[in-house]
Every structure is written in structure tokens, then in C-alpha cells.
Amino acid sequence: MVLGNVERPRREICLISFVELFQTGCPGRDKFLSRFFGLFNEEVVRYWCKYPQAPYEDLGRPTLYEPGEKRGHTLDFTLRHKETGRIFVAEMKCELAFENYRYLALREPWQLEHHRSQKAFCKFLELAKNPEAYEVRVGGSQIRVDGAVLIWGVVLPEGRRTVMEKYGFAEVLAVEDMIKDLRQWKPGEWIQRIEQVQGWVNQLLEALK
């Protein structure tokens, strides 16, 4: 397997960070793999939440409604903290090669601002500071939530701290860390899913030769 122009052993590929994996100095490769990963990146969170050692479980997609609003806006996850029972709406932003890797690693609060054009994200930000701002339903049933959790591709310590302070998130989680956990835990369902996707891609590429 090739990273940019550098040949690396398969074993080393499996251990490198998101930055090393998706920012290689080969923009065409990085953009392609970022888009490909985007096809199933939400599954990382769902499989991670299924594992007993994960601190959260996923209850499904939440829909936020303003008073009198009929359709609402749906976010990515509803996470229940297993230890405390607190429930949070969660939104994932995993932009890896977008705008020259500008949003790959969360460093500062301004990195969230370009999402304010999305009504759903604005609701998400408001709910982080005021959990009672909207009616929240999961699977058609109304639930009470305690705040919001942001999920990002890579999260630096200073980025986590400043973003939580500015926006009021209960937590900021990293997809990179979830994958590290999955690689350590090796849950059978996750391994089977990755092998399935790998098989599909291999079939396509073989057919195109």
C-alpha cells in the first residue's frame, strides 16, 4: 500500500495517525480517500458505541423541533452516557482533506463557524448551551436531553478545551480515537463490516481492469 509517494509496510499503515493517513502530500489521493471514508464514517461511531467498553451507547438519530415546527432537523446521533445516564444529541464533522486539510484536526473554535449556514447545526449549537431549547424526538418518541456532544476527525487537547468552553459542549469526541479503540477491542461485527467493504471495493476495481 502506498502513502503518497512513499511505500510503507502494511503493518505500519495500520498504526499511523489520521494526519499521517489522510495528509500525505498527495492531494489527489487524500481527497479521494477522504470522500471514500465519508461514505461510511458514521458507522465508526455506531460500532464503537455497541462495544461494552465504550462510554456511550447510541440511541438513534435525534430530530429537533421548534415550537409548531412539523418537520424539524435531524442530527447524527443520540448518545447516552452509560455511567451517568445523561443523554446528549451529537453531530459529527469529519472533514479530512477539505480546504487543504483546514478542518482535519480540531484546534480552535473558528473551525466550526462555516457550518452555521446549516439550520440543523445552528440548532445543535443552541441546544449545547440550552438543552431545553428544542423538543427532541428519537424514533418518534420525545426524550429529554442534557446537552450536546461534538464528534470531529482528530481532536487536539487545546481544541477540545476551547471549543467546549465557547460552545458549551458536554464533550468533544474524536473519530481517530474511536478507531484506535476498535482496533484494540477487535469486535467481530466491525471486522466483518470492514472486510465486506474491502471485498466490494476489490470487486469493483478488478472489474475495471
Side-chain angles (χ1 to χ4, degrees):
M1 187 178 296
V2 178
L3 290 181
N5 297 319
V6 181
E7 182 74 21
R8 295 178 184 268
R10 183 178 179 84
R11 180 174 57 185
E12 186 178 351
I13 292 290
C14 295
L15 298 176
I16 64 178
S17 70
F18 257 35
V19 173
E20 292 174 296
L21 183 59
F22 290 104
Q23 188 174 0
T24 64
C26 180
R29 170 207 179 276
D30 297 344
K31 290 177 182 178
F32 178 84
L33 291 185
S34 295
R35 289 195 297 271
F36 175 71
F37 183 64
L39 295 175
F40 65 98
N41 57 19
E42 289 186 5
E43 294 185 41
V44 174
V45 181
R46 295 193 178 94
Y47 279 98
W48 180 76
C49 285
K50 286 182 180 181
Y51 202 79
Q53 288 181 241
Y56 295 93
E57 65 174 320
D58 178 30
L59 305 181
R61 290 187 181 274
T63 302
L64 280 55
Y65 296 86
E66 295 177 347
E69 191 175 22
K70 293 183 178 180
R71 299 194 64 174
H73 291 82
T74 300
L75 301 179
D76 293 330
F77 311 98
T78 308
L79 301 182
R80 187 186 75 85
H81 192 262
K82 294 178 182 177
E83 185 175 338
T84 65
R86 300 178 73 200
I87 297 175
F88 306 96
V89 299
E91 184 76 350
M92 182 169 77
K93 298 299 179 185
C94 191
E95 304 163 304
L96 302 174
F98 182 60
E99 290 190 2
N100 197 28
Y101 316 99
R102 193 178 188 188
Y103 304 102
L104 195 164
L106 186 62
R107 297 180 173 86
E108 299 179 61
W110 65 261
Q111 291 173 288
L112 278 66
E113 291 301 308
H114 72 295
H115 292 293
R116 282 190 180 273
S117 60
Q118 306 166 3
K119 179 64 174 178
F121 194 77
C122 290
K123 283 185 173 181
F124 171 65
L125 293 180
E126 186 172 351
L127 192 143
K129 292 188 175 181
N130 180 11
E132 298 181 357
Y134 302 100
E135 177 183 318
V136 181
R137 299 179 194 170
V138 178
S141 299
Q142 185 173 348
I143 64 168
R144 179 188 176 278
V145 299
D146 298 285
V149 168
L150 176 68
I151 303 173
W152 205 266
V154 178
V155 180
L156 303 182
E158 184 66 9
R160 175 179 283 110
R161 183 186 66 79
T162 56
V163 165
M164 289 177 66
E165 287 178 356
K166 179 176 176 60
Y167 296 104
F169 296 124
E171 179 60 281
V172 178
L173 302 173
V175 179
E176 179 183 54
D177 292 338
M178 294 178 186
I179 289 179
K180 288 178 181 178
D181 287 340
L182 288 169
R183 288 188 50 74
Q184 180 180 350
W185 301 336
K186 298 187 183 302
E189 283 185 290
W190 173 246
I191 299 300
Q192 290 173 13
R193 176 57 173 158
I194 292 301
E195 290 177 346
Q196 181 184 53
V197 173
Q198 185 178 32
W200 290 344
V201 172
N202 287 343
Q203 290 171 13
L204 173 62
L205 295 181
E206 284 297 324
L208 295 177
K209 286 182 179 179

